[in-house]
Amino acid sequence: MTSIRGALALSLAALSLALATPPGSAAGASASGAGGAGTSTARTSALGARTEGAPAVTAEEARLDRPAPREILRRSGFDSLAPRFAEELSGSGSFAAAERTVARYGSGLWRRAVDRAQGRGGAGGGLSRDDDRPLYWSRLALTRELRAWQPRFGIQEEGRARLLDRLERASRGQDSIRYPAGKGVKRILLTGFDPFTLDRDTRISNPSGATALALDGTWLRTSDGSLARVETTVFPVRWQDFADGTVERTLRPHLPEVDLFTTVSQGRPGRFDIERTNGAWRGGFPDNENLSRTEPVPVDDPGTQPQWTTTTLPYTAITAASTGRFPVYDNTSVTELPAGSDTPVVRPGGPTPGSTARAGGGGNYLSNEIAYRATLLRDRLGLNRLPGGHVHTPVLDFGPGNTDPATGTVTDATFVRNRLDIIAQVRAIVAVAAGAR
């Protein structure tokens, strides 16, 4: 996510930033791009039964009917999950039975996506194994079925919300983080994100999510020779989920037990960045529900909320190491309102005393926010010496001749190579960070 340059750039910050947004991507991210989501109260489920009075599909779920998501699901073999899920839900005779079905399908989806990414089991089709998109679109197919389901025993809004939350958490690996007991093993926690800016191009993949699938439950040898276990999870690109505390709820039980954590998202073209400073400001770029928020980052106990938090990742060791083909930078720039001023100023060297945040090094979208929330949680838990912070990956590009979403294919050789190289370099960066002294 590119830093914001000047007052005009501030108003467009999230357009040039992305967990981060690739250049020019903002044009397609309008709030009208939901394909009519949120207006219909009747739809056809995977079983073909008309569901009258069911809650409307979300903007994310509405995109499932576009050609690229359908092809991604078909070419990965994930297209059969939603019909089976809908059938099992329809046979549930009680809320408890439905909850068991939801939990089983959610955790099963996460495990299947991880296994596929790590070479276990069949690929299910011609889509490369490193692809994160089957997980994303399958989850939405399941939530759409769950949202439309009308059980014989009746269900209240609160009950459906509970089931949707259970499905979300399980299918993101948020409730399956487990580390081995005992000494002699380092423990690493890594987070990724869903694809986003999908109204611009529904083919988009997010290399941070692909990295999470590739590394979940794996072992690596750190730069100091130690053995480390990596556990991962993936977060949604939705402002409201963050305001509801999904980051803190997921990370709080594990930060005291890990030796290092890093949040990861897609950033600037052609480079990695270790973001030095995170800011307490939301810049307003639309999320995957086409909703916008421009406000301070909402957290518990706002009276003690700092404007800035700082990485404790060993950025000097990381930037000095040979980790892959992309350059890695220590990014210190922020955008602030200086003390006593209401004019945004870009500070290449970091914030000045008493300033108010308008963008961290990673901008003012959800990548900055997850870094801010994770490092604030670290500090509030008194874990000030725990290495942790944010890594921005390069933008994942399609190959030459395949950049137009109207005519392009859902994958190509350059696209796959770029994603594999990014995954490998994140793994190498984590190994350096966990071994630094």
Side-chain angles (χ1 to χ4, degrees):
M1 298 182 178
T2 309
S3 298
I4 307 158
R5 302 298 181 191
L8 175 60
L10 178 64
S11 66
L12 300 175
L15 306 185
S16 62
L17 303 171
L19 295 151
T21 309
S25 67
S30 69
S32 62
T39 59
S40 174
T41 58
R43 56 175 292 273
T44 302
S45 76
L47 298 178
R50 190 73 170 174
T51 307
E52 298 295 339
V57 299
T58 67
E60 282 190 284
E61 292 163 354
R63 299 185 187 105
L64 278 162
D65 296 323
R66 300 180 187 180
R70 293 200 302 268
E71 182 178 352
I72 289 165
L73 290 173
R74 176 180 56 80
R75 292 181 61 183
S76 60
F78 281 55
D79 56 342
S80 63
L81 292 177
R84 293 204 308 267
F85 178 61
E87 185 173 9
E88 288 203 36
L89 268 184
S90 68
S92 299
S94 66
F95 184 87
E99 191 167 29
R100 289 192 294 270
T101 297
V102 166
R104 187 171 73 255
Y105 270 84
S107 60
L109 174 57
W110 174 256
R111 184 47 48 195
R112 178 171 174 176
V114 168
D115 285 347
R116 187 178 189 275
Q118 297 181 16
R120 294 184 291 272
L127 210 62
S128 64
R129 285 183 174 269
D130 55 288
D131 206 313
D132 60 305
R133 298 172 296 177
L135 171 65
Y136 175 70
W137 293 113
S138 293
R139 182 189 304 113
L140 289 175
L142 298 187
T143 61
R144 185 164 73 170
E145 293 301 333
L146 181 53
R147 214 177 297 278
W149 172 60
Q150 295 295 307
R152 295 183 297 275
F153 53 83
I155 188 169
Q156 299 299 314
E157 181 180 349
E158 181 181 354
R160 194 185 304 273
R162 174 175 159 182
L163 294 178
L164 285 164
D165 180 69
R166 186 73 181 271
L167 180 57
E168 281 277 338
R169 286 179 55 76
S171 65
R172 295 180 177 280
Q174 293 178 355
D175 60 1
S176 59
I177 298 170
R178 304 284 188 275
Y179 291 100
K183 299 180 179 180
V185 174
K186 291 187 175 181
R187 296 162 179 82
I188 298 169
L189 181 57
L190 179 146
T191 73
F193 271 107
D194 288 345
F196 65 111
T197 64
L198 293 158
D199 285 330
R200 179 177 67 85
D201 188 347
T202 50
R203 304 175 302 157
I204 283 174
S205 165
N206 194 322
S208 70
T211 299
L213 294 177
L215 297 188
D216 186 53
T218 63
W219 297 83
L220 60 81
R221 188 68 66 176
T222 69
S223 58
D224 68 351
S226 302
L227 190 62
R229 172 65 172 261
V230 183
E231 291 287 318
T232 73
T233 185
V234 172
F235 284 97
V237 183
R238 297 190 296 253
W239 292 112
Q240 189 59 50
D241 292 64
F242 276 51
D244 289 341
T246 184
V247 174
E248 291 82 357
R249 180 172 65 165
T250 302
L251 302 188
R252 183 178 287 109
H254 304 291
L255 289 194
E257 66 178 337
V258 302
D259 298 284
L260 178 141
F261 71 90
T262 182
T263 55
V264 183
S265 66
Q266 182 177 233
R268 303 169 179 86
R271 60 184 279 181
F272 277 86
D273 286 282
I274 311 303
E275 304 296 356
R276 185 82 73 88
T277 306
N278 317 298
W281 185 252
R282 295 176 150 192
F285 187 76
D287 65 9
N288 276 351
E289 289 293 342
N290 293 326
L291 299 176
S292 179
R293 296 287 185 271
T294 304
E295 60 188 359
V297 172
V299 297
D300 291 339
D301 193 12
T304 65
Q305 177 181 14
Q307 286 296 306
W308 309 99
T309 64
T310 304
T311 189
T312 45
L313 290 174
Y315 47 84
T316 301
I318 294 170
T319 56
S322 177
T323 53
R325 70 179 172 101
F326 297 102
V328 183
Y329 294 92
D330 167 23
N331 183 34
T332 60
S333 182
V334 301
T335 300
E336 66 176 21
L337 301 179
S341 172
D342 58 2
T343 302
V345 176
V346 175
R347 299 291 191 193
T352 57
S355 64
T356 301
R358 282 299 176 265
N364 51 28
Y365 196 35
L366 286 163
S367 59
N368 169 76
E369 184 160 332
I370 196 171
Y372 178 84
R373 289 180 177 277
T375 51
L376 178 60
L377 179 62
R378 173 203 64 199
D379 296 344
R380 285 182 165 180
L381 290 174
L383 303 171
N384 308 76
R385 300 184 64 183
L386 173 64
H390 193 76
V391 175
H392 258 133
T393 77
V395 171
L396 177 57
D397 292 322
F398 286 96
N402 192 31
T403 58
D404 186 348
T407 59
T409 59
V410 299
T411 190
D412 60 62
T414 300
F415 181 70
V416 172
R417 181 176 67 87
N418 288 339
R419 187 167 52 211
L420 288 171
D421 287 351
I422 292 170
I423 292 169
Q425 193 160 351
V426 173
R427 188 178 190 277
I429 287 170
V430 169
V432 170
R437 298 182 183 277

